[in-house]
Amino acid sequence: MTGFLRGAFFLLIVRPVLTLVLGAHVRHRDLLPATGPAIIVANHNSHLDTLTILSMFRLRDLPRLRPVAAADYFLRSRLGAWFALNIIGIIPIVRGGRGGAHVLGPCEDALDRGDILILFPEGSRGEPEVLADFKRGVAHLARARPQVPVHPLFLYGLGKALPKDSFLLVPFNCDIVAGEAFRWTGEVESFMALLQARMAGLAAQIHRSPWE
């Protein structure tokens, strides 16, 4: 039943909104991972980001697509937790976990099962079309699973269509640009530098650098 509800939600609600209201256009769709394990890394400006990425795949692929999200935010209420876990399919993680807690353990387990993770290394949603500094969690995950490809993805317009703290959807043409995959570079600094360079390159296909 959960699988049916999840498929119906994306087929009957999410996809029509993205196509008819937002005119979402995907560039280089063929660069998206066809199979797992894989990591998709994207910028984050709106709650629409996750729904948009999930809708880019076939309905039958939804069970293996796992957005990584903050447990303290998405599991606050019983209804919200059910929706996040069963319809969106998140992997909840504890932000700021320290000590003996292995925060990325559930992500590594998902990759070992052949899933495709969706990560937003900026953390929380930021200002529309402005990239914040990337957190290094994605680099530590790539180091733990160096054979897993990392697919950069740049989303444009969703932060204006549904900004942070807004519940009113504004029609705004949106673009999604997929980039060439890469893998663990051997050190955190070089990995993060490569990731930021790849994201800037994708952003430049739409407009000027989002760090300007």
Side-chain angles (χ1 to χ4, degrees):
M1 177 60 73
T2 299
F4 172 79
L5 292 175
R6 191 179 194 190
F9 174 70
F10 280 93
L11 180 64
L12 302 177
I13 299 177
V14 177
R15 288 185 176 178
V17 168
L18 291 174
T19 302
L20 301 177
V21 179
L22 302 180
H25 174 66
V26 183
R27 306 186 190 185
H28 313 308
R29 184 187 291 268
D30 59 300
L31 295 179
L32 293 172
T35 60
I39 302 170
I40 294 175
V41 178
N43 56 313
H44 196 25
N45 294 144
S46 170
H47 276 319
L48 291 174
D49 297 339
T50 300
L51 298 178
T52 298
I53 296 173
L54 291 173
S55 71
M56 293 160 56
F57 290 82
R58 298 169 299 182
L59 293 179
R60 67 185 184 187
D61 293 331
L62 287 175
R64 63 193 181 94
L65 293 164
R66 307 299 307 279
V68 178
D72 62 293
Y73 185 88
F74 286 95
L75 304 185
R76 290 181 298 178
S77 67
R78 180 175 298 180
L79 179 60
W82 181 88
F83 185 83
L85 293 170
N86 295 283
I87 303 302
I88 307 302
I90 71 166
I91 295 177
I93 60 170
V94 179
R95 289 190 284 195
R98 296 181 179 180
H102 186 16
V103 176
L104 296 176
C107 299
E108 295 173 6
D109 293 341
L111 291 175
D112 292 341
R113 292 192 298 268
D115 290 342
I116 298 175
L117 300 189
I118 300 171
L119 274 70
F120 300 103
E122 293 170 283
S124 60
R125 290 159 293 156
E127 297 180 32
E129 323 320 332
V130 177
L131 278 175
D133 291 336
F134 289 166
K135 295 178 172 59
R136 298 187 173 195
V138 60
H140 297 305
L141 183 59
R143 179 172 58 188
R145 298 294 184 273
Q147 77 283 2
V148 174
V150 178
H151 296 255
L153 193 68
F154 185 78
L155 311 172
Y156 174 76
L158 297 170
K160 295 181 179 179
L162 188 66
K164 183 178 181 179
D165 300 326
S166 174
F167 297 96
L168 179 63
L169 185 64
V170 178
F172 192 90
N173 287 337
C174 302
D175 286 283
I176 304 98
V177 186
E180 294 278 357
F182 64 99
R183 288 178 169 80
W184 171 243
T185 61
E187 62 176 9
V188 172
E189 293 295 339
S190 63
F191 178 89
M192 295 304 298
L194 178 58
L195 174 59
Q196 292 195 333
R198 291 292 184 91
M199 292 296 287
L202 297 180
Q205 296 185 36
I206 301 176
H207 63 169
R208 67 177 187 171
S209 170
W211 278 284
E212 293 181 2

